[in-house]
């Protein structure tokens, strides 16, 4: 459901260009009056700036032991408090209702089925306090881009990789030259809307980027804020 463990040592390179989301999630954390939770916390790329900016503990959940080990080391160096758990987001359970649960860097797309996504949304809804927010981002599938890069080798942050699309499964496979592989399953706006509704949440805002530009037909990213009704 995530990158091969062998890829963890190159994650920083792969994610180096993704910085625009940090200020967005930090701002939401500052507005939250209660526990902060990050799903797919990885090496703490977002959680550590959030903990530093708020002066509060961030609960982080991930399925990768290697990434969690990096997060612990980085949090110690940064002198911030992360409460890290090796766990599956589909089994989310908290001791105290959260004010904010967020899932950055398109990590919900590692979930292969709508049922998997629904289970996460339902667990998040159960874990939120009334008025609490669930926030995530995911790319908008673009068939023109998909046709242009399907089956071709490219470089991202100096890492050679190939992208293969399987439309029948809504799946994108990214294979590194070194052999590591990850799969993403894209979702449409109506599918995200359905997940929000079935979990008993309400859409507070939908943006097309982290600058909070209103979402429209030209948007390439879903940046979604859902709220648990009071």
């Amino acid at each position: 459901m995530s990158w091969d463990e062998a890829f963890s040592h190159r994650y920083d390179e792969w994610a180096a260009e993704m910085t625009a989301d940090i200020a967005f999630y930090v701002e939401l954390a500052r507005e939250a009056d209660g526990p902060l939770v990050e799903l797919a916390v990885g090496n703490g790329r977002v959680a550590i700036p959030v903990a530093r900016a708020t002066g509060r503990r961030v609960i982080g959940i991930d399925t990768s032991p290697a990434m969690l080990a990096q997060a612990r080391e980085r949090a110690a160096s940064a002198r911030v408090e992360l409460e890290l758990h090796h766990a599956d987001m589909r089994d989310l359970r908290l001791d105290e209702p959260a004010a904010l649960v967020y899932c950055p860097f398109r990590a919900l797309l590692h979930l292969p089925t709508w049922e998997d996504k629904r289970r996460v949304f339902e667990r998040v809804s159960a874990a939120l306090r009334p008025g609490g927010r669930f926030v995530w981002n995911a790319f908008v599938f673009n068939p023109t881009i998909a046709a242009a890069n399907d089956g071709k080798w490219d470089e991202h942050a100096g890492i050679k990789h190939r992208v293969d699309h399987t439309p029948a499964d809504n799946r994108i496979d990214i294979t590194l030259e070194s052999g590591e592989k990850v799969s993403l399953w894209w979702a449409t706006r109506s599918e995200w809307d359905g997940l929000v509704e079935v979990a008993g949440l309400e859409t507070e805002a939908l943006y097309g980027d982290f600058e909070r530009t209103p979402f429209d037909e030209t948007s390439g990213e879903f940046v979604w804020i859902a709220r648990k009704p009071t």
Side-chain angles (χ1 to χ4, degrees):
M1 279 180 50
S2 60
W3 286 105
D4 291 348
E5 286 292 275
F7 181 71
S8 64
H9 69 284
R10 303 202 69 183
Y11 178 81
D12 268 350
E13 299 169 67
W14 184 266
E17 296 178 6
M18 175 51 72
T19 58
D21 60 340
I22 293 175
F24 176 80
Y25 287 113
V26 164
E27 182 180 354
L28 291 168
R30 283 175 168 153
E31 296 171 358
D33 182 19
L36 308 172
V37 180
E38 181 174 331
L39 305 181
V41 70
N43 66 359
R45 182 186 67 86
V46 178
I48 290 172
V50 166
R52 182 187 295 119
T54 61
R56 294 156 60 191
R57 178 188 61 176
V58 176
I59 300 169
I61 295 167
D62 206 287
T63 59
S64 168
M67 296 296 277
L68 288 169
Q70 289 185 34
R72 289 189 184 94
E73 182 177 346
R74 289 164 180 260
S77 297
R79 297 184 179 181
V80 299
E81 184 180 2
L82 300 186
E83 181 186 318
L84 299 170
H85 298 272
H86 180 220
D88 190 318
M89 66 175 79
R90 292 171 295 189
D91 299 321
L92 176 67
R93 285 178 176 80
L94 302 176
D95 294 332
E96 180 183 357
L100 173 67
V101 178
Y102 64 97
C103 188
F105 208 12
R106 304 167 172 174
L108 286 174
L109 300 185
H110 290 305
L111 298 164
T113 68
W114 194 84
E115 182 180 358
D116 289 318
K117 294 181 179 70
R118 184 190 68 188
R119 183 171 170 182
V120 170
F121 273 66
E122 290 175 342
R123 296 310 310 155
V124 169
S125 181
L128 284 172
R129 60 178 55 184
R133 287 164 157 172
F134 181 33
V135 187
W136 71 96
N137 66 282
F139 64 77
V140 177
F141 177 73
N142 186 317
T144 303
I145 295 175
N149 66 17
D150 186 44
K152 296 180 180 178
W153 288 93
D154 198 357
E155 281 198 10
H156 172 79
I159 301 175
K160 193 171 183 180
H161 66 282
R162 190 185 73 239
V163 178
D164 297 288
H165 294 80
T166 305
D169 193 30
N170 283 21
R171 191 179 80 245
I172 297 174
D173 298 319
I174 303 173
T175 305
L176 306 188
E177 186 178 29
S178 51
E180 292 88 353
K181 179 180 175 181
V182 68
S183 295
L184 302 168
W185 287 263
W186 73 80
T188 65
R189 178 174 180 173
S190 61
E191 288 175 302
W192 292 121
D193 276 326
L195 289 163
V196 170
E197 181 177 0
V198 76
L201 302 172
E202 298 174 348
T203 294
E204 177 183 325
L206 174 58
Y207 302 114
D209 55 38
F210 295 109
E211 287 70 46
R212 302 186 183 236
T213 303
F215 188 89
D216 62 23
E217 293 182 354
T218 67
S219 298
E221 193 81 11
F222 297 110
V223 181
W224 216 296
I225 301 178
R227 185 183 290 272
K228 184 171 183 175
T230 57

